[in-house]
Amino acid sequence: MESQASFGITGWRMKIVVADPIFMTEEYKKRLEALGELEIYKNVPFSHDEFIERIKDAEVVIVGRYGVDAKAISSAPKLKLISLWQTGFDNVDLEAATEREVIVSNVPSYAFDSVAEFVFALSLNLLRRVHLADMDLREGLFDWKHYVGNQLMSKTIGVLGTGEIGKRVIQIAQGFNMNVLSVTAHPNPEKAKALGIKFVDLDTLLSESDIVTLHVPLTPETEHMIGARELARMKPTAILINTARGKVVNEAALIEALKEKKIAGAGLDVFEKEPLPMNSPLLVMNNVVLTPHIAFLSEESLDECTYVSIENVEMFIRGRAQNVVNPSVLKG
């Protein structure tokens, strides 16, 4: 833990806590020190009680992946701002924060390129069996016959969601001369023409795509949007890529589909429960590639995320809160 103190630019002495590990350069640390008393924690809390202990006196909390529930919010009576070091805010109890008049801000626009590129890292790994060849080679097996795969060129990719990440995926896919299908909440011919894609319904996308990649936020409507029924619609040669949120996919149904070879494989960066439990059947399957929620993880995206999350704090102190995900707080 590091601790420094100074007076904020408004003369208001803030208590700012970086409650779990985030990317933090000396320059960013100095920007926070200029705003008040600063505590930086470089390790993940060992327990929820420890997390509460860290933030109990804070007015501003910057938090990475650790969840902020109602108990944590109620245990921090001085809390005024939660600045999320991420885009998603499903790990924060927004209702409790709003009731307490705590502003929650996020980083709405970053890591588009990093996540989109990672989709193809997972896809190529699966299609060309890179992960299997690597493991076998390390065991002394040097035999090309085991690794006959498939190329991306001219295949069909189904992109669920045409937000910024989805658009980047589409652009990269077109570089591979892929046919692109998409499902979006607001399809229109002009948008389809501009993107060079075809909008279809979900069943058509699932049944015609060689790769299905998910780029939707986690909401009550999207939770388990890919379940047993949807997986059964996919080609037995198709692969599923999830770099969005784990709960968008019914993990039990996916495991069953992979076991029964209803689909060929899956590239998963996110899971219903994180960290992925060590007894998960996914860990012993050779038709999956698993990564620990790192699609966003590039030097470029880390820097951008920290920049915006600190800017959110600065703007809040100046009385111009930005990137607020519970705007009803501001109406008071």
Side-chain angles (χ1 to χ4, degrees):
M1 182 187 76
E2 298 179 1
S3 181
Q4 297 290 333
S6 66
F7 286 91
I9 56 178
T10 63
W12 176 19
R13 186 180 177 84
M14 301 288 293
K15 174 63 182 277
I16 303 169
V17 174
V18 181
D20 62 344
I22 69 169
F23 176 79
M24 181 67 68
T25 64
E26 190 65 26
E27 176 187 354
Y28 288 136
K29 178 183 170 185
K30 288 178 180 177
R31 280 175 59 182
L32 287 172
E33 288 172 352
L35 303 176
E37 180 185 351
L38 174 65
E39 286 186 82
I40 299 176
Y41 290 89
K42 295 184 176 181
N43 62 301
V44 177
F46 291 108
S47 67
H48 192 239
D49 286 342
E50 182 181 343
F51 177 74
I52 289 173
E53 182 67 22
R54 291 180 179 186
I55 72 168
K56 66 179 184 179
D57 296 322
E59 292 165 280
V60 173
V61 169
I62 299 176
V63 64
R65 294 188 178 181
Y66 203 86
V68 187
D69 62 8
K71 181 179 178 182
I73 292 169
S74 66
S75 300
K78 300 177 184 177
L79 187 61
K80 297 177 177 65
L81 173 70
I82 299 170
S83 180
L84 298 174
W85 189 70
Q86 60 180 21
T87 299
F89 45 86
D90 48 279
N91 63 340
V92 178
D93 191 323
L94 288 183
E95 184 176 347
T98 302
E99 186 176 335
R100 271 278 321 280
E101 298 185 348
V102 175
I103 292 173
V104 181
S105 64
N106 72 337
V107 182
S109 303
Y110 90 108
F112 300 150
D113 294 323
S114 295
V115 175
E117 289 175 7
F118 204 77
V119 168
F120 292 91
L122 293 174
S123 299
L124 286 164
N125 201 328
L126 284 163
L127 290 174
R128 300 302 300 272
R129 306 190 177 191
V130 175
H131 62 303
L132 300 179
D134 177 81
M135 289 189 294
D136 288 346
L137 184 59
R138 294 172 191 271
E139 295 296 323
L141 181 63
F142 199 103
D143 188 346
W144 63 267
K145 296 189 294 294
H146 295 279
Y147 316 112
V148 178
N150 297 99
Q151 63 187 32
L152 279 177
M153 198 68 66
S154 302
K155 295 295 190 297
T156 296
I157 186 169
V159 182
L160 272 71
T162 54
E164 293 302 323
I165 294 174
K167 290 177 184 176
R168 298 289 204 281
V169 170
I170 290 166
Q171 291 170 350
I172 296 171
Q174 289 165 339
F176 284 101
N177 196 31
M178 300 185 78
N179 176 44
V180 183
L181 304 177
S182 185
V183 171
T184 188
H186 305 289
N188 64 70
E190 292 77 17
K191 186 175 182 179
K193 183 177 180 180
L195 293 174
I197 65 174
K198 181 180 179 182
F199 285 122
V200 295
D201 60 46
L202 180 58
D203 280 354
T204 300
L205 182 146
L206 293 169
S207 63
E208 295 186 6
S209 296
D210 300 297
I211 299 172
V212 174
T213 180
L214 309 179
H215 302 288
V216 295
L218 179 61
T219 66
E221 292 72 33
T222 63
E223 185 170 351
H224 285 183
M225 72 178 295
I226 302 298
R229 176 192 173 279
E230 290 73 26
L231 292 163
R233 295 284 298 172
M234 292 175 64
K235 297 177 182 180
T237 55
I239 63 173
L240 177 72
I241 305 294
N242 189 8
T243 56
R245 284 291 184 267
K247 289 183 180 180
V248 172
V249 177
N250 183 322
E251 205 164 278
L254 175 60
I255 290 169
E256 192 65 22
L258 291 165
K259 283 181 178 178
E260 296 182 2
K261 301 189 185 306
K262 291 181 178 178
I263 64 172
L268 306 174
D269 185 53
V270 290
F271 308 93
E272 286 202 84
K273 184 177 181 181
E274 296 182 5
L276 182 66
M278 291 307 297
N279 63 351
S280 171
L282 291 168
L283 292 169
V284 295
M285 293 180 169
N286 64 10
N287 58 345
V288 297
V289 174
L290 310 173
T291 52
H293 205 143
I294 60 170
F296 75 100
L297 195 60
S298 67
E299 290 185 7
E300 296 85 352
S301 64
L302 289 174
D303 186 76
E304 184 179 4
C305 191
T306 301
Y307 179 91
V308 176
S309 63
I310 292 176
E311 185 180 63
N312 287 343
V313 177
E314 292 170 336
M315 295 302 288
F316 164 74
I317 291 175
R318 293 170 186 166
R320 300 195 299 272
Q322 64 178 21
N323 300 322
V324 178
V325 299
N326 58 340
S328 61
V329 172
L330 302 177
K331 296 176 181 178

